[in-house]
Amino acid sequence: MQKDIQALQQIIEDLTALETSQPVLEPKSAETLLEQLPIALGEEGMEDMEVYDLLKNVLAETPRTATRLFFNQLFGGRNPKAVVADMLASFMNNSMYTFKVGGPQILIEKELISQFQSMLGYDGDPGGTMAPGGSMTNFMGMLMARDQAIKDVHNEGVRTKMTMYTSECSHYSLPKNATFMGIGRSQLRYVPADETGAMKTDVLAQMIADDKAAGAHPFMVVATAGTTVMGAFDNIQACADLCQDSGMWLHVDGAYCGSVMFSKKYRHLIDGAHRANSFSINAHKMLSVPLSCSFILVKENKHLYESFANDAEYLYQTDDDDLNPGKISLQCGRRNDALKFWTLWKSIGRSGLEKMVDHHFGLAERARQYVMDHRDYQVYSHANSVNICFNYKDVDPVKLCNALYEEGELMVGYGQFHDDQFVRLVAVNANNEEGDIDYFFKKMEAFAEAHYDELKK
Ligand SMILES: *Cc1c(COP(=O)(O)O)cnc(C)c1O
């Protein structure tokens, strides 16, 4: 293994050098990549050094998501401690279903969950677990909501029309999950958003009442803490009031910006979170942990058992359920997604995570000020969003983002809200500084000016 570790070190050094000299890769088509890289698999193996050379070449052609010019999606940057811990998790290869196989790694996951529970303000007997991604933790929240709403539905299946409610700006995992859970996509009702992108809760109340009157069974509201395009926060208190009155389950999709719970300054954006029955959060977005690192927290632990517990004599042979997270898991084998986050937290402390969250909002505010101060821009974002949505002059945002990508200038994407389409600059790279935001605009403006005729609407 000694030689492999040396090769690893060399590959990492080469890649980081490339990332510095060329932070954005000029994309190649799939056909070109298949011609240039020996991706096809064969019968015979290769020499070690050939394998590592090949890996190095593949990495060199892979989009660079950790550099200061990646603003395309809701993650970015690279934290060395978290990366090392993630590599060690692969090195050890424990499956996180039992204490017998995971040992202290299980305690590490449990510690993270208990920290989240107290930050949320869950008291009594709360629960929580990890799943591979926010789409899956949302799925778990939806399944628990379904199972508590109708007696024996997890044995007998869905036989009533069960309706659930979420913002028109919520994540696309919700309709997908609605099909998986057997209630059907069209039983997911979309509530209109106000001009900031937050769900109109008065309309929500009316929709629930109308559905009840029509004989449906409204069972769940999903509020979003940080919508994917506008970065908006739904009013959790108002949703909790409605749910409390009508016995509905409230899930908060905090996959993107639930991390504001770490910040004294921004915690108010999820006021009322302790009233939610379940809450999803991704540490791989605002908190710089490598993909994926996703948690679901549950106000009452019993719901995890009611929806997910199955016995398996060949697996659960020692210890209490409490130490065997596989018992309440969506999967069987569970990757160790906890060690990397725990290591980061040990390294910078809770206060370091708080600074990271505040830093993102600081960068976003700088970007928002910039676009508000310059007459060439139209701004769509509101305060307290880490996504800055804007248009430059009469440049077409789709053409602009695609051209920036194809020319290897910047990785940034576009989005849409109501009738407006715009560039969406995402400020969640903890390695970035204010100068990187300024550089983004300078580079984008220079590019737009140089290609103005092709890019204008
Ligand atoms: C990213 C995101 C998700 C999905 O999380 P994955 O880990 O990508 O599956 C869900 N909801 C919101 C609001 C998100 O931003």
Side-chain angles (χ1 to χ4, degrees):
M1 187 105 196
Q2 196 75 33
K3 279 206 180 118
D4 299 271
I5 302 287
Q6 278 165 7
L8 169 69
Q9 186 167 351
Q10 192 57 52
I11 288 173
I12 287 176
E13 279 170 20
D14 292 347
L15 181 64
T16 39
L18 279 178
E19 286 178 344
T20 312
S21 64
Q22 197 192 355
V24 185
L25 207 56
E26 259 182 59
K28 292 179 179 164
S29 69
E31 292 77 18
T32 311
L33 287 174
L34 285 168
E35 270 166 30
Q36 292 185 354
L37 297 169
I39 287 182
L41 294 165
E43 187 65 20
E44 302 300 329
M46 296 165 85
E47 292 298 325
D48 286 0
M49 280 346 265
E50 285 179 318
V51 173
Y52 288 121
D53 262 355
L54 176 55
L55 271 180
K56 186 181 142 177
N57 294 338
V58 172
L59 265 57
E61 297 294 348
T62 301
R64 295 174 191 158
T65 63
T67 72
R68 65 195 194 101
L69 297 185
F70 182 82
F71 298 98
N72 204 68
Q73 250 102 38
L74 313 183
F75 63 95
R78 178 183 289 137
N79 181 281
K81 301 289 183 303
V83 169
V84 167
D86 200 17
M87 288 177 165
L88 292 175
S90 295
F91 193 80
M92 294 181 296
N93 201 33
N94 302 91
S95 181
M96 300 283 278
Y97 37 38
T98 60
F99 185 73
K100 187 179 180 187
V101 172
Q105 303 295 328
I106 303 290
L107 304 179
I108 282 171
E109 180 176 318
K110 281 171 64 72
E111 169 64 10
L112 287 167
I113 288 163
S114 113
Q115 290 286 341
F116 276 124
Q117 288 162 344
S118 63
M119 278 190 290
L120 277 174
Y122 278 172
D123 44 22
D125 185 23
T129 187
M130 298 186 75
S135 301
M136 290 297 104
T137 52
N138 283 343
F139 187 35
M140 295 184 82
M142 291 164 77
L143 288 171
M144 287 185 285
R146 181 198 66 182
D147 293 352
Q148 66 91 45
I150 293 185
K151 198 169 165 293
D152 222 26
V153 68
H154 53 298
N155 284 318
E156 299 300 323
V158 178
R159 285 156 299 162
T160 16
K161 186 160 172 178
M162 304 180 75
T163 55
M164 57 177 290
Y165 305 81
T166 192
S167 161
E168 60 171 323
C169 298
S170 62
H171 191 257
Y172 78 101
S173 55
L174 303 187
K176 200 162 56 165
N177 292 338
T179 69
F180 299 167
M181 68 198 276
I183 66 164
R185 261 200 189 94
S186 46
Q187 263 47 266
L188 175 62
R189 306 277 198 259
Y190 289 106
V191 183
D194 65 19
E195 73 285 353
T196 70
M199 177 158 63
K200 287 183 177 170
T201 45
D202 50 339
V203 180
L204 168 65
Q206 191 55 53
M207 287 168 75
I208 294 172
D210 290 349
D211 275 334
K212 270 193 185 152
H217 187 119
F219 73 103
M220 175 180 212
V221 172
V222 179
T224 310
T227 59
T228 313
V229 175
M230 294 288 279
F233 290 80
D234 290 338
N235 185 335
I236 297 177
Q237 292 287 20
C239 293
D241 288 342
L242 275 172
C243 287
Q244 197 173 322
D245 292 347
S246 51
M248 296 168 74
W249 183 282
L250 174 61
H251 175 76
V252 176
D253 178 2
Y256 188 18
C257 299
S259 306
V260 295
M261 72 175 77
F262 284 88
S263 165
K264 287 183 266 308
K265 194 166 169 198
Y266 296 99
R267 161 78 219 215
H268 68 92
L269 296 170
I270 54 162
D271 246 6
H274 64 286
R275 302 174 65 195
N277 300 88
S278 53
F279 193 106
S280 297
I281 178 168
N282 279 352
H284 64 250
K285 286 183 169 167
M286 290 183 87
L287 299 177
S288 298
V289 178
L291 283 152
S292 59
C293 189
S294 301
F295 297 82
I296 175 142
L297 292 311
V298 191
K299 198 179 172 68
E300 292 176 278
N301 194 24
K302 67 171 190 196
H303 292 294
L304 279 172
Y305 284 89
E306 282 170 11
S307 288
F308 301 106
N310 263 300
D311 224 337
E313 197 233 343
Y314 48 79
L315 185 59
Y316 305 108
Q317 301 177 344
T318 59
D319 305 297
D320 292 342
D321 286 354
D322 189 39
L323 286 171
N324 291 334
K327 265 277 164 82
I328 48 167
S329 169
L330 210 51
Q331 321 104 268
C332 171
R334 297 176 78 238
R335 200 182 176 279
N336 183 352
D337 285 334
L339 184 65
K340 53 194 170 185
F341 185 27
W342 179 83
T343 306
L344 171 63
W345 191 324
K346 278 283 180 193
S347 156
I348 65 174
R350 204 209 54 81
S351 64
L353 296 167
E354 172 166 24
K355 281 199 195 94
M356 197 186 281
V357 171
D358 290 351
H359 181 67
H360 298 321
F361 279 100
L363 292 183
E365 195 46 33
R366 171 132 183 147
R368 205 167 74 95
Q369 276 306 325
Y370 183 92
V371 288
M372 290 196 311
D373 290 349
H374 289 76
R375 298 179 46 196
D376 291 333
Y377 286 91
Q378 202 173 352
V379 192
Y380 304 90
S381 294
H382 295 264
N384 293 332
S385 166
V386 282
N387 292 354
I388 310 309
C389 302
F390 64 84
N391 274 318
Y392 179 66
K393 293 189 172 169
D394 58 345
V395 166
D396 182 309
V398 178
K399 285 188 202 160
L400 175 63
C401 293
N402 290 345
L404 283 165
Y405 160 65
E406 274 150 25
E407 303 287 324
E409 299 275 337
L410 287 168
M411 289 278 276
V412 65
Y414 51 85
Q416 179 156 5
F417 176 58
H418 290 163
D419 296 331
D420 299 310
Q421 202 163 33
F422 38 65
V423 180
R424 179 191 67 164
L425 171 67
V426 177
V428 294
N429 180 341
N431 299 137
N432 276 2
E433 295 299 333
E434 293 194 333
D436 296 310
I437 298 293
D438 302 345
Y439 183 77
F440 168 88
F441 286 112
K442 290 285 161 290
K443 206 164 163 96
M444 188 218 74
E445 286 167 15
F447 185 85
E449 292 305 328
H451 302 84
Y452 187 70
D453 289 337
E454 306 113 78
L455 296 177
K456 70 172 192 270
K457 278 179 190 151

